[in-house]
Amino acid sequence: MPTDGGHDLRHHGDAEVRDDGGSLVDLAVNVRADTPPPWLREHIAASLGGLAAYPDGRAARAAVAARHGLPVERVLLTAGAAEAFVLLARALKVRWPVVVHPQFTEPEAALRDAGHTVDRVLLREEDGFRLDPAAVPEAADLVVIGNPTNPTSVLHPAEVIASLARPGRLLVVDEAFMDAVPGEPEALADRVDVPGLVVLRSLTKAWGLAGLRIGYVLAAPETIEDLERAQPLWPVSTPALAAAQACVGPRAVAEAAHAAHRVAADRAHLVTGLARFAPAGLRVVEPAQGPFVLIRLPRAATVRGRLRDLGYAVRRGDTFPGLDEEWLRLAVRDRGTVDGFLRALERALAG
């Protein structure tokens, strides 16, 4: 299991709600709780009649390309964004990969598994975990950053990220949570003018499809070809292809946009509720722009254990490079769930 500096890079939020955590109210996993909607479940179920045939991803690939106004040669469908990180690590010949942290740890884990030595750029709490492009080594030929970033919920300006592009460098931007940002103002997914840009998108978060595994890569055709050669045959199942085609259609895009506004309102409600615990030392990283918030709290590990006893699971933060045991990540949920959590947090802080 990849570790470095005491950080378990393969620990993810689902570990909080497995086994004895299965009955807990889940604020640990960043998957929208009210998904997939009935129409999407029915659409996926209808694809089961075609399971005897090998998967054919052409229609789904074309639908993703149309969603972003790109030619199909710039699209690769993957078994979730996690597969894309493995493909990048194994297929691309890079000498100096750099991962900007704190962020989703799977890119670094995949690079290490593939034998790469990985350097880190650690963003600082005192800077609000915002990107300083000057901190990225000029000679790095692979740079990975999330936007909005998991777990900090920071949304970096698109042009600041684009400024990291260099000749001979691949700039990998994980936009798995971008569709939870109303209007996607800082998205780079549609851009073809940024050299070396590779954008990863996930359809599992917004649509509750973590068990189906579907995502995609947007990049220059030559990069897509390199990644595709590293994939096994038929890497994306027929039900996942059906989901992909449905989730990038006009109806789904409109529904996701509406959900993003609801998430923003629910997040504001959560942040406002957390503010009353400031006298206890609780601090929220703001402005939060993703479907989760990052908090710093004295004795966070103890509080997390008490919350479990009270029926709530939250994500520990100490597995993210750049964070320690005082950090917790909270997924945004509906107001009723948030209110219940805030009452539990009050009890947990009181000991």
Side-chain angles (χ1 to χ4, degrees):
M1 184 171 296
T3 62
D4 187 79
H7 299 284
D8 179 359
L9 302 180
R10 282 280 160 75
H11 180 91
H12 301 300
D14 62 312
E16 311 285 353
V17 291
R18 290 200 302 259
D19 302 327
D20 63 339
S23 63
L24 300 177
V25 178
D26 179 10
L27 279 77
V29 177
N30 290 328
V31 173
R32 224 173 80 204
D34 59 344
T35 50
W39 67 264
L40 181 54
R41 290 200 299 269
E42 293 167 4
H43 184 82
I44 295 170
S47 74
L48 299 181
L51 290 185
Y54 285 98
D56 183 349
R58 288 176 295 177
R61 188 179 184 185
V64 171
R67 158 76 172 88
H68 295 285
L70 299 172
V72 294
E73 293 80 10
R74 297 186 71 94
V75 176
L76 180 68
L77 301 174
T78 59
E83 188 206 5
F85 291 126
V86 172
L87 295 176
L88 287 164
R90 294 179 178 177
L92 303 180
K93 307 302 184 213
V94 296
R95 295 172 292 98
W96 189 351
V98 171
V99 179
V100 179
H101 286 289
Q103 79 148 8
F104 184 50
T105 53
E106 202 60 33
E108 180 171 328
L111 286 163
R112 289 180 178 276
D113 284 346
H116 297 283
T117 299
V118 182
D119 277 354
R120 295 172 176 171
V121 170
L122 298 180
L123 304 184
R124 305 188 307 167
E125 177 188 3
E126 54 266 40
D127 297 330
F129 296 110
R130 304 203 70 80
L131 173 64
D132 175 8
V136 177
E138 189 67 26
D141 58 354
L142 175 69
V143 178
V144 185
I145 185 169
N147 202 37
T149 303
N150 170 24
T152 63
S153 208
V154 169
L155 182 66
H156 304 287
E159 292 310 318
V160 172
I161 292 181
S163 73
L164 293 174
R166 301 282 188 279
R169 170 185 288 177
L170 288 170
L171 174 58
V172 179
V173 186
D174 177 7
E175 291 190 351
F177 295 100
M178 188 62 78
D179 54 4
V181 180
E184 302 188 12
E186 307 302 339
L188 289 167
D190 304 349
R191 298 273 294 270
V192 296
D193 61 321
V194 180
L197 178 65
V198 180
V199 174
L200 277 57
R201 287 271 179 135
S202 170
L203 295 172
T204 64
K205 309 297 191 299
W207 295 104
L209 297 173
L212 194 61
R213 312 308 307 143
I214 180 64
Y216 53 89
V217 181
L218 306 172
E222 58 269 25
T223 301
I224 295 296
E225 289 174 4
D226 289 340
L227 298 178
E228 191 169 18
R229 280 194 293 269
Q231 276 187 313
L233 290 173
W234 311 291
V236 181
S237 70
T238 294
L241 292 171
Q245 190 170 354
C247 289
V248 296
R251 172 184 179 174
V253 171
E255 185 172 320
H258 176 75
H261 286 282
R262 188 173 71 247
V263 167
D266 290 340
R267 183 182 60 239
H269 181 67
L270 172 60
V271 171
T272 298
L274 291 169
R276 73 172 186 259
F277 301 110
L282 188 150
R283 178 184 177 275
V284 181
V285 175
E286 295 188 83
Q289 298 291 322
F292 44 86
V293 298
L294 182 66
I295 65 171
R296 187 167 195 169
L297 182 65
R299 301 179 297 115
T302 299
V303 172
R304 175 173 157 267
R306 291 173 179 167
L307 285 168
R308 289 184 72 85
D309 292 340
L310 294 167
Y312 289 85
V314 299
R315 172 67 157 89
R316 57 189 282 202
D318 61 326
T319 63
F320 293 100
L323 303 181
D324 59 25
E325 67 278 357
E326 290 196 343
W327 294 93
L328 298 172
R329 190 193 70 196
L330 313 175
V332 173
R333 298 293 186 242
D334 64 90
R335 292 191 174 207
T337 301
V338 166
D339 289 342
F341 167 74
L342 293 171
R343 289 191 294 270
L345 179 59
E346 185 172 22
R347 292 177 62 189
L349 290 172

